[in-house]
Amino acid sequence: MKGERLRASLGLLLQSSTTFSRAGQVRFLHKTRPIPPIPATRPFVPDVHTFLTLIGRNLSRYSSKFPSWEALFSLTSPQLKELGIEPARDRRYLLSWMDRYRKGAVGPGGDFKYVKDGEAILKVAAPPASSLQSARYAVNVPHADAEATDVTQLVRPAGYRVAGLKTVVGPRVQPLSGQAGAVVKAGEGMWEHRRGRKIDGGERRRAEVRFKKRSAERRAEREAEMLSHL
């Protein structure tokens, strides 16, 4: 009897120690999870204010809360809450855009190479004479050399193209007067993901809202019918 009790006690001790060691391993792994890297700025996104302006939803009003680019991309959700970034959906939206930016999933203009004072110049360029293609391209050119046409040395930004002979089309383009090209300026909400519009209370409350609407309509019909008989 004593031997059986001793074996049972030893079994419980071994089981508890195994559980404790596993929990300790989980906590250890959690604490050593690598911190997300801080991405580099881009010519079109040189600072925190521009980044918050581009992603929209009026988040640029929080620019003063982040003293530097590194400070913004080092913060977690609880830390953003402590800074007063409210409501929670704004924090989620900001964190999702920070993650997208780290992965290089940027919006229009994110691949511009030549930007000055928040403006990028796009010009129309044709392929070299030796090329068999005749399509024209929209290219990002330096401000100091707006006439450059060497396609191999210039950036062809995503989302921008040439319509006709000299019209550059794409997000936030403004035609250059008298020239074949356009200027793109960084502005509020240029990269913004628009919120969906809830219809009849949204997916979760749609049945309830529509039921109440039908009930109100039937009640109004009955009252109108009763008044007609008076």
Side-chain angles (χ1 to χ4, degrees):
M1 291 294 291
K2 291 184 178 180
E4 293 178 359
R5 290 178 182 176
L6 182 60
R7 283 194 297 270
S9 301
L10 288 174
L12 290 173
L13 287 172
L14 289 173
Q15 184 177 2
S16 62
S17 64
T18 303
T19 305
F20 176 78
S21 63
R22 288 177 180 175
Q25 290 173 0
V26 171
R27 286 195 296 270
F28 180 76
L29 289 173
H30 176 74
K31 290 180 180 179
T32 57
R33 180 177 297 175
I35 299 174
I38 297 175
T41 58
R42 294 168 178 258
F44 201 58
V45 195
D47 51 42
V48 172
H49 180 72
T50 304
F51 176 71
L52 297 180
T53 299
L54 287 170
I55 65 177
R57 297 197 183 180
N58 201 26
L59 291 179
S60 57
R61 68 186 187 274
Y62 298 122
S63 297
S64 60
K65 294 181 180 294
F66 309 106
S68 66
W69 181 264
E70 292 74 14
L72 171 63
F73 280 88
S74 300
L75 294 174
T76 61
S77 182
Q79 291 170 331
L80 290 174
K81 185 176 181 179
E82 291 179 3
L83 288 175
I85 311 300
E86 295 287 354
R89 64 172 176 266
D90 283 353
R91 293 196 297 273
R92 290 194 297 268
Y93 180 72
L94 176 56
L95 288 168
S96 69
W97 254 114
M98 289 162 61
D99 186 57
R100 286 173 58 87
Y101 189 91
R102 285 190 184 97
K103 297 176 181 177
V106 295
D111 53 355
F112 288 160
K113 184 177 179 181
Y114 306 108
V115 182
K116 182 180 180 181
D117 298 330
E119 296 184 358
I121 293 178
L122 303 182
K123 301 285 286 186
V124 178
S130 59
S131 176
L132 298 178
Q133 298 181 353
S134 60
R136 295 172 177 264
Y137 308 107
V139 292
N140 175 215
V141 301
H143 282 68
D145 188 15
E147 300 299 326
T149 56
D150 186 357
V151 180
T152 60
Q153 300 297 323
L154 300 176
V155 177
R156 293 175 55 186
Y160 296 90
R161 60 185 179 83
V162 177
L165 294 177
K166 60 178 184 179
T167 303
V168 178
V169 296
R172 305 290 181 96
V173 296
Q174 299 178 10
L176 289 172
S177 58
Q179 301 183 51
V183 61
V184 180
K185 298 180 180 180
E188 175 68 31
M190 189 172 177
W191 294 359
E192 182 175 351
H193 294 165
R194 303 291 180 180
R195 294 193 189 100
R197 185 171 63 90
K198 289 186 177 181
I199 299 176
D200 291 338
E203 184 177 355
R204 289 182 296 178
R205 300 184 58 239
R206 187 170 300 154
E208 176 187 354
V209 171
R210 290 181 177 178
F211 173 77
K212 290 181 178 179
K213 282 185 176 181
R214 290 193 296 268
S215 298
E217 291 172 357
R218 289 194 295 268
R219 189 182 307 112
E221 291 175 358
R222 289 195 298 269
E223 292 176 355
E225 185 178 357
M226 290 175 63
L227 291 173
S228 65
H229 292 297
L230 294 178

